[in-house]
């Protein structure tokens, strides 16, 4: 099998796990403190990556000169946005979160142009504008009176998810992709522990929701991230992002319908269509 075909299979696998985890994130977020929930997500993912790195013999740590980079990918690139998203899951539908998280691509494209001086074409600018229009329609139904603040929070969180791409890119020359993924959670754990224990010193979490928490954490932040990194290694960032982003919407929508019974209205389908179209255009050749 050719490397490109293998890379595509990795991307499809990543999209499946990203989408599959979506409804379980909604279930995991209910009836629990959002800081405690996010702490356990990073703890589960961090332990898994530690064991994987140990097994691979690739366990490495940054030196003291890189501690700021270490903290950025953990706090700005995971702890903050994941906490925002888990809160949003308690206030809006899992389907809304699924679609609105695609806005990450628009900000990643913008940051790439600003920070790395990557060229951005007029077509990509058009795709970003189309995508933002889709976000507005999807979130508001063309009326600000219908705006759900949780949807706005999801959209805001994608700025931080996009920044993670920027931070990780700066580390790729020093560490392999799996180690970077692990450090993302290892750096987040102490920060999230402090926040969680300040809200609930017992760190209590509903026992009945532990399976949903584990499924979401492992599917999304372990299997999904590993396969996505492998896809990037075989295909490159942009060729891996297209199937990863688009198919995750399809897998996620199916999983969310089956597990939670959520559906989309005609207006949301129209807005979601614009988000998808804008994403495809923004991911076009530079």
């Amino acid at each position: 099998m050719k490397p490109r075909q293998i890379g595509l299979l990795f991307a499809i696998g990543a999209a499946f796990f990203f989408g599959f985890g979506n409804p379980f994130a909604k279930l995991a977020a209910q009836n629990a403190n959002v800081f405690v929930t996010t702490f356990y997500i990073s703890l589960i993912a961090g332990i898994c990556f530690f064991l994987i790195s140990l097994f691979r013999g690739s366990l490495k740590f940054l030196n003291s000169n890189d501690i700021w980079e270490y903290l950025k990918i953990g706090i700005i690139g995971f702890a903050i946005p994941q906490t925002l998203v888990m809160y949003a899951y308690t206030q809006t539908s899992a389907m809304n979160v699924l679609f609105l998280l695609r806005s990450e691509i628009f900000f990643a494209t913008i940051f790439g142009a600003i920070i790395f001086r990557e060229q951005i074409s007029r077509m990509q600018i058009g795709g970003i504008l189309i995508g933002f229009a889709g976000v507005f329609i999807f979130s508001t139904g063309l009326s600000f009176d219908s705006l759900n603040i949780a949807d706005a929070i999801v959209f805001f969180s994608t700025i931080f998810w996009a920044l993670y791409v920027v931070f990780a890119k700066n580390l790729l020359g020093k560490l392999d992709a799996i180690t970077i993924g692990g450090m993302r959670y290892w750096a987040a754990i102490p920060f999230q522990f402090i926040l969680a224990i300040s809200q609930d010193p017992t760190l209590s979490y509903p026992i009945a929701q532990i399976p949903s928490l584990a499924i979401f954490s492992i599917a999304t932040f372990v299997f999904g991230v590993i396969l996505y990194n492998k896809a990037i290694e075989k295909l490159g960032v942009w060729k891996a992002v297209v199937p990863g982003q688009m198919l995750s919407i399809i897998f996620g929508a199916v999983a969310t319908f089956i597990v939670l019974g959520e559906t989309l209205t005609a207006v949301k389908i129209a807005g979601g269509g614009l988000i998808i179209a804008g994403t495809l255009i923004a991911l076009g050749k530079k």
Side-chain angles (χ1 to χ4, degrees):
M1 189 176 290
K2 296 179 180 179
R4 183 178 179 279
Q5 294 174 321
I6 296 174
L8 186 58
L9 288 178
F10 282 141
I12 294 173
F16 170 78
F17 284 110
F18 286 149
F20 176 76
N22 185 63
F24 294 99
K26 172 77 173 179
L27 294 174
Q30 304 305 306
N31 306 312
N33 182 280
V34 65
F35 294 105
V36 173
T37 302
T38 311
F39 165 67
Y40 283 131
I41 290 171
S42 61
L43 184 63
I44 292 171
I47 291 174
C48 289
F49 266 93
F50 176 80
L51 294 175
I52 292 169
S53 297
L54 198 62
F55 178 77
R56 294 173 69 238
S58 62
L59 189 60
K60 299 177 182 179
F61 294 94
L62 295 175
N63 59 49
S64 58
N65 294 329
D66 295 317
I67 191 66
W68 174 233
E69 297 293 332
Y70 180 64
L71 292 174
K72 284 194 298 185
I73 63 171
I75 297 175
I76 299 176
F78 180 76
I80 293 175
Q82 190 58 38
T83 300
L84 293 173
V85 169
M86 293 312 293
Y87 169 76
Y89 272 117
T90 68
Q91 303 297 319
T92 190
S93 70
M95 202 74 81
N96 281 22
V97 175
L98 174 69
F99 275 84
L100 293 173
L101 281 177
R102 303 287 77 76
S103 304
E104 172 192 347
I105 294 302
F106 309 138
F107 288 115
T109 303
I110 293 171
F111 292 151
I114 295 173
I115 298 174
F116 295 111
R117 304 295 182 183
E118 296 177 348
Q119 292 185 345
I120 181 170
S121 66
R122 292 181 179 178
M123 182 172 291
Q124 287 179 301
I125 294 174
I128 292 171
L129 294 176
I130 290 172
F132 284 157
V135 169
F136 173 74
I137 293 173
F138 192 93
S139 302
T140 68
L142 297 177
S143 172
F144 280 112
D145 293 335
S146 302
L147 177 64
N148 185 335
I149 189 63
D151 290 343
I153 288 174
V154 176
F155 179 70
F156 177 67
S157 76
T158 61
I159 296 176
F160 294 93
W161 293 124
L163 283 172
Y164 168 73
V165 176
V166 174
F167 300 151
K169 190 171 183 178
N170 288 331
L171 293 173
L172 281 175
K174 304 175 183 178
L175 301 167
D176 65 274
I178 291 182
T179 301
I180 292 173
M183 285 187 169
R184 183 187 192 185
Y185 308 121
W186 303 335
I189 288 172
F191 175 75
Q192 291 181 303
F193 174 74
I194 293 172
L195 289 178
I197 204 168
S198 69
Q199 296 293 311
D200 182 0
T202 65
L203 297 179
S204 60
Y205 185 81
I207 295 177
Q209 293 172 207
I210 291 178
S212 295
L213 179 71
I215 290 172
F216 169 60
S217 302
I218 296 173
T220 301
F221 296 115
V222 180
F223 292 149
V225 167
I226 290 175
L227 290 174
Y228 194 57
N229 288 340
K230 290 294 184 181
I232 290 174
E233 289 177 0
K234 296 290 184 180
L235 302 174
V237 175
W238 297 106
K239 289 183 180 179
V241 165
V242 173
Q245 291 287 337
M246 294 303 98
L247 292 178
S248 67
I249 291 180
I250 297 173
F251 288 132
V254 172
T256 302
F257 172 73
I258 293 174
V259 177
L260 301 177
E262 293 183 7
T263 58
L264 293 171
T265 64
V267 174
K268 288 189 179 295
I269 290 174
L274 287 177
I275 293 174
I276 293 173
T279 301
L280 289 172
I281 295 171
L283 289 174
K285 292 184 178 181
K286 295 180 180 293

